[in-house]
Amino acid sequence: MPHPLDAPTLAEIQSARESLRDSVVRTPLVPLNLELNDREIYLKLENLQPIGSFKLRGAGNAMKGATDAEIERGVYTASAGNMAQGVAWNARQRGVPCSVIVPEQAPRTKLESIRRLGAKTIQVPFDEWWRVIQTHSYPGIDAYFIHPVSDRRVMAGNGTIGLEILEDLPDVQNVVVPFGGGGLSCGIAAALASHRSSIRIFASEVSTAAPLAASLKAGAAREIEHVPSFVDGIGGSSLLHEMWPLASRLLAGALVVTPEQTANAIRLLVERNHVVAEGAAATSVAAALESNDLSGKIVCVVSGGNIDTAKLRAILDGRLPD
């Protein structure tokens, strides 16, 4: 079992920012165009990255930190789609082959994007895919593994989002971050905590698979029943043990929303802000709208926009996609 991780330091996050300066977009922070009495909601639009997801930051920092000797035989990762695109995009920049272990239910849009970037995809059942996430390895691949979550360089790259939030909204009070494995939320939390400890960072999860909420309730990392839904970018079968100490220390809690609330948030973002968000990304907005634990100035990280067009069409028509 992998050892527990320490949070990236502010120096590591600042170094990641310099490393990524020419390869990622400094995404805008914009108000949600919705008047509310007790809260102001802002959107950190990571869906505007070249691959449509924040994963370009963590993957890019991990790749830039790897030596030519380490990646000469190529790289691989395990991902439902967005980290795969981040690693594939950076592998193409470095001129090395890339393979991706993906779950069988990975969205067609994401699979097509991975292949378009030149990576090889290996589709496996969800449980087998999750074992790769847990064990940090896949039999038969002799290449450099980049973990989508449990990697300090990945978290440092993700933490650059926190630095940008502070610059654009210095008096932010709450930040809501979609929780897949904790690499995004803990990276952002590490950046924010280094500047002002009073900022609360919440994870957003979907009710069909909410391992952090279950783990916080139990006081230890827990396995849960995973129910597939259109919210495909988050919701594993368990909280990774190596991430539990960080998540339990850095995050103020887990806000759980339903698929229906998530779909409503996707539709709201399109109608009010002309923003396309995938299911995982919209959970932060759904949580900010639904939670009684939040007030004041809230930033929602819109982590990605890679949603199948058929699913988006169903949501805009008022239906819940499969």
Side-chain angles (χ1 to χ4, degrees), residues 182-239:
L184 176 60
S185 53
C186 289
I188 291 175
L192 297 176
S194 67
H195 284 78
R196 183 154 50 89
S197 60
S198 61
I199 304 173
R200 298 190 303 169
I201 299 88
F202 289 90
S204 59
E205 295 186 291
V206 65
S207 58
T208 51
L212 179 60
S215 298
L216 290 173
K217 183 177 180 180
R222 287 289 181 263
E223 293 189 2
I224 58 157
E225 179 184 1
H226 170 267
V227 179
S229 76
F230 79 92
V231 186
D232 57 82
I234 58 174
S237 298
S238 66
L239 183 68

Side-chain angles (χ1 to χ4, degrees), residues 272-318:
R272 295 301 182 94
N273 279 76
H274 313 292
V275 166
V276 174
E278 61 190 82
T283 60
S284 62
V285 178
L289 292 170
E290 300 290 340
S291 175
N292 294 323
D293 294 327
L294 298 176
S295 61
K297 293 187 177 181
I298 306 163
V299 170
C300 297
V301 177
V302 181
S303 53
N306 295 314
I307 185 171
D308 279 345
T309 53
K311 292 180 180 179
L312 179 60
R313 187 180 305 114
I315 290 169
L316 296 179
D317 284 343

Side-chain angles (χ1 to χ4, degrees), residues 42-85:
Y42 297 83
L43 310 172
K44 180 60 171 168
L45 297 177
E46 286 297 297
N47 60 315
L48 298 181
Q49 292 294 349
I51 62 167
S53 163
F54 78 95
K55 292 287 190 178
L56 195 63
R57 296 180 188 254
N61 196 47
M63 286 284 290
K64 290 178 185 294
T67 66
D68 290 340
E70 286 177 316
I71 65 172
E72 64 181 0
R73 290 188 299 275
V75 296
Y76 77 106
T77 192
S79 167
N82 284 336
M83 186 64 172
Q85 293 178 66

Side-chain angles (χ1 to χ4, degrees), residues 147-170:
H147 198 281
V149 176
S150 306
D151 184 307
R152 279 176 66 113
R153 289 181 296 194
V154 169
M155 285 193 288
N158 296 337
T160 60
I161 296 171
L163 300 181
E164 294 175 12
I165 290 172
L166 284 168
E167 290 171 353
D168 291 345
L169 193 68

Side-chain angles (χ1 to χ4, degrees), residues 77-139:
T77 192
S79 167
N82 284 336
M83 186 64 172
Q85 293 178 66
V87 174
W89 193 91
N90 282 282
R92 188 171 66 177
Q93 301 301 308
R94 293 285 293 269
V96 297
C98 175
S99 297
V100 183
I101 316 301
V102 299
E104 287 178 334
Q105 70 270 29
R108 176 183 53 81
T109 296
K110 292 181 180 180
L111 291 175
E112 290 175 353
S113 296
I114 296 166
R115 292 163 184 155
R116 187 168 59 248
L117 289 167
K120 174 186 176 183
T121 58
I122 303 171
Q123 289 187 263
V124 298
F126 181 88
D127 290 344
E128 184 176 344
W129 173 78
W130 189 248
R131 277 196 296 274
V132 181
I133 301 288
Q134 291 177 311
T135 63
H136 297 219
S137 64
Y138 183 77

